Amino acid sequence: MGEDRYLTFALGKGRLANQTLELLERIGITCEEIKDKSSRKLVFVNEELKLKFFLAKGPDVPTYVEYGAADIGVVGKDTLLEEGKPVYEVLDLGFGKCRMCVCGPKKSEELLKHHEMIRVCSKYPNIAKDYFYNKKHQTVDIIKLNGSVELGPMVELSDVIVDIVETGSTLKENGLEVLEEICPLSARMIVNQVSMQMYAHRIKPMIAKLKNELEKEK
Ligand code: PRP
């Protein structure tokens, strides 16, 4: 495959995509088409640089990159940990910073301390499982929810939740708090394993430029 092949980016829809596009602009990678918010198009092209961009649901980004439908992806570390796909994680982009935490009402603190058999609601069952089984060696019952996970302890479905905490205001407004911190999170750039070898001459200089740009922020 020659130089004419498009390099394809899969971006997690929403704030992450916007921040990624801003960062890419700073190293001269632009995509005017994608800025038109009234457009219903799904795939956007920069003919001059031979780049393609598409916006996908965050949890699907590692899948597109794993199969090579996208060479490069930008997604939250939470999704990478949860999906566990074989892709190269090449860069911490520094934005989208938040924390993965065990949260609940204050009274659940004791249950955590004494390694009781508890119920845990989460959108991230794999992260929850890894934390409780492999790190804490505590047997728990994990219940997968798809959002508004804070409801779990509030309607007595679970004792705690494993969820993302950014500002902490969702927890506060619902009478919950951070009980344990699992890990920090932020947006990451990922690359397909084959693309990384085949298009190293295009991908590596781009990563180096991004790194350099991110260094300036420090
Ligand atoms: C996320 C997360 C928390 C909230 C944390 O939910 O699941 O509920 O944001 O943010 P905060 O600490 O700044 O309040 P999201 O908005 O993605 O919706 P969801 O509940 O449907 O997952």
Side-chain angles (χ1 to χ4, degrees), residues 12 19-20 29 33 48 50 52 57 67 82 84 89 104 109 115 139 148 163-164 173 184 191 197 202 209 213:
Q19 285 177 287
T20 304
I29 295 178
E33 272 192 319
E48 196 191 333
K50 290 283 174 216
K52 259 186 206 166
K57 281 265 185 198
Y67 286 96
E82 183 61 25
E89 183 186 323
E109 219 166 32
H115 283 220
T139 309
S148 302
D163 201 17
I164 287 174
E173 284 184 34
V191 178
Q197 314 305 325
R202 293 176 71 187
K209 275 190 203 162
E213 197 56 37

Side-chain angles (χ1 to χ4, degrees), residues 146-217:
N146 293 299
S148 302
V149 179
E150 290 82 2
L151 280 171
M154 297 170 72
V155 300
E156 293 180 2
L157 176 60
S158 69
D159 303 288
V160 297
I161 60 172
V162 164
D163 201 17
I164 287 174
V165 179
E166 192 182 350
T167 61
S169 49
T170 311
L171 290 178
K172 205 169 164 202
E173 284 184 34
N174 292 292
L176 305 174
E177 55 191 83
V178 172
L179 302 174
E180 289 175 1
E181 187 170 324
I182 300 178
C183 61
L185 304 167
S186 57
R188 306 296 159 99
M189 179 165 276
I190 55 173
V191 178
N192 171 272
Q193 294 182 340
V194 175
S195 305
M196 194 64 182
Q197 314 305 325
M198 289 189 63
Y199 308 108
H201 59 293
R202 293 176 71 187
I203 297 174
K204 285 192 174 158
M206 183 193 74
I207 296 171
K209 275 190 203 162
L210 286 170
K211 248 188 203 158
N212 195 31
E213 197 56 37
L214 292 167
E215 279 298 315
K216 289 184 195 164
E217 288 173 3

Side-chain angles (χ1 to χ4, degrees), residues 47-66:
E47 286 295 347
E48 196 191 333
L49 298 174
K50 290 283 174 216
L51 299 174
K52 259 186 206 166
F53 298 86
F54 64 83
L55 301 174
K57 281 265 185 198
D60 294 335
V61 168
T63 308
Y64 289 110
V65 175
E66 177 193 8

Side-chain angles (χ1 to χ4, degrees), residues 65-123:
V65 175
E66 177 193 8
Y67 286 96
D71 302 289
I72 299 165
V74 173
V75 70
K77 179 70 177 174
D78 50 317
T79 303
L80 285 182
L81 290 171
E82 183 61 25
E83 300 295 321
K85 300 286 191 191
V87 294
Y88 290 135
E89 183 186 323
V90 295
L91 207 53
D92 181 345
L93 299 174
F95 49 75
K97 276 200 169 110
C98 49
R99 300 178 291 157
M100 186 63 74
C101 298
V102 181
C103 313
K106 181 96 182 141
K107 65 172 193 230
S108 290
E109 219 166 32
E110 286 301 307
L111 302 174
L112 287 171
K113 254 189 220 151
H114 298 118
H115 283 220
E116 304 259 355
M117 173 72 184
I118 53 169
R119 276 186 166 182
V120 182
C121 281
S122 187
K123 237 163 96 168

